[in-house]
Amino acid sequence: MDCNRITLLLDKYWECATTIEEERELRHFFSAETLPPELRPYRAWFMSPEAEILPPLGKEFDLKVLQRISREKKRRHLRLFYSFTTLVSVIIILLLVLLLTSSFMIEKNCCV
């Protein structure tokens, strides 16, 4: 097997981007008797019994993921709404302060 391909698959594996087939290919490669010296340290990782066990996701997995995405979208919308209402409140307060100070300045200048 091509060592360059295995190196690329290892990089993908450490980034959690491999498919199940690519992980099986890595396990098959590391089960060989002869390995390049630079890849020997990884043998124990891919030959452990836990490496072969892939738990089934179950039927409700997709539903749970979609529900979580939906909750996150709702939270994002709420945060945006709260930020917007805070901004509007600050603008209104600033306008009121500006209006009051300007009317006070006009009254003060008129009476003098």
Side-chain angles (χ1 to χ4, degrees):
M1 196 169 287
D2 185 22
C3 286
N4 291 332
R5 171 145 172 82
I6 295 301
T7 305
L8 290 174
L9 285 177
L10 280 173
D11 290 340
K12 260 180 93 172
Y13 181 81
W14 301 128
E15 292 173 3
C16 301
T18 53
T19 64
I20 293 172
E21 296 303 319
E22 290 170 334
E23 290 179 22
R24 285 187 181 134
E25 186 178 341
L26 284 169
R27 281 192 296 280
H28 177 71
F29 175 79
F30 284 104
S31 67
E33 291 296 321
T34 56
L35 290 174
E38 65 272 8
L39 297 177
R40 285 186 189 147
Y42 302 118
R43 179 183 212 157
W45 180 269
F46 288 99
M47 294 310 295
S48 66
E50 294 86 23
E52 186 62 38
I53 298 172
L54 298 172
L57 296 176
K59 293 181 180 181
E60 66 278 345
F61 177 76
D62 288 338
L63 181 63
K64 287 181 181 180
V65 169
L66 291 174
Q67 287 174 345
R68 186 161 184 186
I69 290 171
S70 175
R71 274 184 282 165
E72 290 298 320
K73 282 183 180 179
K74 287 178 185 176
R75 286 182 187 156
R76 197 174 314 135
H77 289 302
L78 277 175
R79 261 186 268 136
L80 183 62
F81 175 75
Y82 291 144
S83 299
F84 181 73
T85 54
T86 304
L87 178 66
V88 169
S89 301
V90 167
I91 289 173
I92 289 173
I93 291 171
L94 287 174
L95 285 174
L96 286 174
V97 167
L98 182 64
L99 181 67
L100 289 174
T101 56
S102 65
S103 66
F104 177 74
M105 295 300 287
I106 291 172
E107 283 181 14
K108 187 175 180 183
N109 287 337
C110 288
C111 296
V112 174

